[in-house]
Amino acid sequence: MPDREERFRIMLDMVEAVVGPEPSVLDLACGTGSITDRLLRRFPKATSTGVDLDPALLAIARGTFDGDDRVTLVTADLKDPAWTAALPRTSYDAVLTATALHWFHREPLAVLYRQVGELVREGGVFMNADHMTDASTPRLNAAERAHRHAGMDRAKAAGALDWAEWWGEAAKDPALAGPTAERFAIYGDHADGEAPSADWHARTLRASGFGEARTVWASPSDAVVLALK
């Protein structure tokens, strides 16, 4: 994924700028724990709660952070209105998420943003790094998509696994075969979500209780939107 590490760096830069180097963080839709891994490498005194529903990705995260008392992993469905009850705390300095919320349609995502607005403490921060599409530039969007997919095709030709192949390998792994089967029983092949514009995210976050919200990083296809409580 192009620019992945750059996005993480910007997110952690802004965490440090807003709430300091010892934050309590909610890693929203944490997957394998990519954000938490980079958070703790940079800020050893940070703590992280990772929440996800995917049993296969959570199995990887549990293996990664086993024995690390800075990390708590929670199984919960973010589309369930009661998901916050499973969390170990009621507020966080920062809530971070990456490449996950495009699985939501706008209406449930707006509901989730309102819940996140209640979890972030006053003066705290929320950031979403994800695919965000500006519908006002369809030709530019098509050109960017073609260029990005050509790069993905070159990477695959050089030996990189694509999404389907990665999951195929996970299904063969003795430790992941069971969780992977559970995962596909929950989600199917892929969710049908949306990728609204960064402006939509900022407006929706401001309507969800955040005082300020704007883009703090962008590529031709993705953006990091930051909201300050």
Side-chain angles (χ1 to χ4, degrees):
M1 181 178 293
D3 306 313
R4 189 166 186 254
E5 295 303 325
E6 177 69 5
R7 294 188 303 171
F8 289 145
R9 183 188 67 78
I10 292 295
M11 293 175 81
L12 296 181
D13 280 352
M14 295 311 300
V15 166
E16 185 173 26
V18 176
V19 299
E22 300 181 20
S24 60
V25 171
L26 175 60
D27 187 349
L28 194 68
C30 66
T32 61
S34 298
I35 290 175
T36 293
D37 172 68
R38 287 152 181 81
L39 171 78
L40 298 179
R41 289 174 187 270
R42 178 159 169 179
F43 305 126
K45 294 185 179 180
T47 59
S48 179
T49 300
V51 59
D52 208 300
L53 183 62
D54 190 313
L57 300 185
L58 282 172
I60 294 172
R62 290 192 175 100
T64 300
F65 301 109
D66 183 39
D68 192 334
D69 60 8
R70 298 171 297 176
V71 180
T72 303
L73 295 170
V74 174
T75 301
D77 184 353
L78 298 179
K79 294 181 179 178
D80 179 347
W83 71 270
T84 58
L87 300 177
R89 35 189 314 154
T90 58
S91 73
Y92 291 87
D93 297 322
V95 178
L96 308 177
T97 186
T99 327
L101 299 189
H102 64 276
W103 287 52
F104 282 71
H105 289 283
R106 295 181 192 217
E107 185 174 338
L109 182 54
V111 172
L112 180 65
Y113 277 172
R114 288 194 291 273
Q115 292 178 300
V116 169
E118 295 174 357
L119 288 168
V120 176
R121 69 162 173 83
E122 195 68 27
V125 64
F126 167 75
M127 276 178 276
N128 179 13
D130 208 350
H131 312 312
M132 298 184 187
T133 303
D134 186 338
S136 70
T137 57
R139 291 183 298 159
L140 180 59
N141 297 346
E144 182 282 326
R145 186 179 187 279
H147 183 267
R148 176 162 39 90
H149 278 260
M152 292 165 64
D153 289 343
R154 289 192 298 272
K156 184 175 178 180
L161 297 180
D162 66 16
W163 191 88
E165 289 169 335
W166 189 92
W167 281 110
E169 292 299 311
K172 300 174 188 176
D173 185 277
L176 294 177
T180 297
E182 293 176 35
R183 181 241 184 252
F184 279 95
I186 294 169
Y187 292 111
D189 286 337
H190 204 281
D192 178 26
E194 292 184 77
S197 69
D199 180 66
W200 180 92
H201 286 274
R203 285 187 284 105
T204 304
L205 286 161
R206 286 192 291 268
S208 301
F210 290 92
E212 301 177 14
R214 70 171 177 87
T215 300
V216 293
W217 176 91
S219 75
S221 61
D222 289 28
V224 176
V225 170
L226 181 153
L228 183 64
K229 187 70 176 289

